[in-house]
Amino acid sequence: MGVRLMVVDDHRLLAEALASALKLRGHRVLAAAAPAAGAAELVITRAPEVCLLGTAVPAEPGIFDPVVRIKRERPQVAVLVLGPVPSPRGIAAAFAAGASGYVRHDERIEGVERAIMKARAGEAAVAPTLLQGAFSELLNPAAQPDDEGQRLLQMLTPREVEVLVRVADGEDTRLIAAGMGIAPSTARTHVQRVLMKLGVGSRLEAAALAARTGLLDRAGPLPHPSRNRETGTGTGPEF
């Protein structure tokens, strides 16, 4: 008995070719379209039994948000992710979002069909080796995503970290210079270096990035906690 399904992929030719092959094998393909902002809406509206949802970057943050929405609004729809050779993290992310399985782009049509039948039956449709790697990834604390705050912190010198903390505190160049015991021109130079290293264009963006990534929490207290914000006085060596 054929399966009511949808094929949604970045590559329209691939989606149409796969849809045609599945039609020849007796399945009812509701649509074959490139994903866009309305991809999840299309699946929710048509409510197939199984959806093959293509992705080019299975480990990219947010890539499986459409899966989350589909499963939230149409939990009866089994979603199979169609993508390249994945990392264990990509497999883990797909299942965490609610996918029923993962099918590689280079899989033979017989393998795709087996995955579809398993997904419709409520089974996990993924090669055992890929599934084993995904479980290992989830159970291994060392395999967590890179800490962006720590990475950014390592890019900055201790002086630049202090400058960034002061920028996030709302200090202008005069207060930064006074608090660190340096010349205003030196303070401006350090601010520019911080902006350049963080890849942002303004102090506001730098402060927002530092707060979002937890960099400020990791930076610790300023080395000159006794600075006077009103008078701008402070001590410290010039450099």
Side-chain angles (χ1 to χ4, degrees):
M1 181 178 176
V3 179
R4 293 174 60 254
L5 57 89
M6 293 181 64
V7 180
V8 183
D9 195 274
D10 281 323
H11 301 89
R12 184 174 295 276
L13 289 179
L14 173 62
E16 292 178 349
L18 182 54
S20 297
L22 290 170
K23 285 179 181 178
L24 291 176
R25 300 179 77 87
H27 301 289
R28 181 186 174 192
V29 182
L30 300 181
E41 185 69 34
L42 181 63
V43 175
I44 292 167
T45 300
R46 304 300 296 272
E49 293 178 277
V50 180
C51 171
L52 281 165
L53 185 65
T55 179
V57 191
E60 182 175 301
I63 197 69
F64 296 122
D65 286 351
V67 180
V68 174
R69 185 183 172 201
I70 291 169
K71 296 303 294 183
R72 181 178 65 245
E73 301 192 29
R74 292 285 187 179
Q76 72 276 18
V77 176
V79 180
L80 284 174
V81 175
L82 180 67
V85 178
S87 67
R89 184 173 297 147
I91 291 288
F95 275 94
S100 298
Y102 191 103
V103 181
R104 285 170 46 170
H105 276 142
D106 58 356
E107 180 63 77
R108 295 173 63 87
I109 189 63
E110 293 84 3
V112 176
E113 188 173 39
R114 283 195 298 271
I116 290 172
M117 301 307 290
K118 282 187 174 183
R120 186 175 69 168
E123 302 175 25
V126 63
T129 54
L130 296 180
L131 189 59
Q132 182 179 9
F135 281 130
S136 297
E137 185 82 12
L138 288 173
L139 295 173
N140 182 6
Q144 295 300 313
D146 293 336
D147 187 322
E148 186 180 3
Q150 182 63 32
R151 179 181 62 81
L152 294 175
L153 191 62
Q154 292 174 347
M155 294 169 56
L156 305 175
T157 68
R159 286 291 194 180
E160 290 167 347
V161 170
E162 181 178 355
V163 168
L164 177 59
V165 172
R166 291 178 181 277
V167 167
D169 281 347
E171 294 187 3
D172 59 17
T173 300
R174 180 183 62 82
L175 283 176
I176 292 173
M180 297 179 66
I182 59 178
S185 59
T186 303
R188 279 192 294 272
T189 297
H190 281 287
V191 169
Q192 290 303 313
R193 287 178 181 171
V194 169
L195 299 184
M196 181 181 66
K197 287 186 176 182
L198 295 182
V200 296
S202 69
R203 298 184 183 208
L204 183 60
E205 290 180 82
L209 178 62
R212 177 176 60 80
T213 60
L215 191 155
L216 296 177
D217 295 332
R218 293 179 177 275
L222 290 172
H224 302 288
S226 62
R227 70 186 186 278
N228 186 315
R229 289 180 179 273
E230 293 184 0
T231 62
T233 60
T235 59
E238 177 67 90
F239 59 95

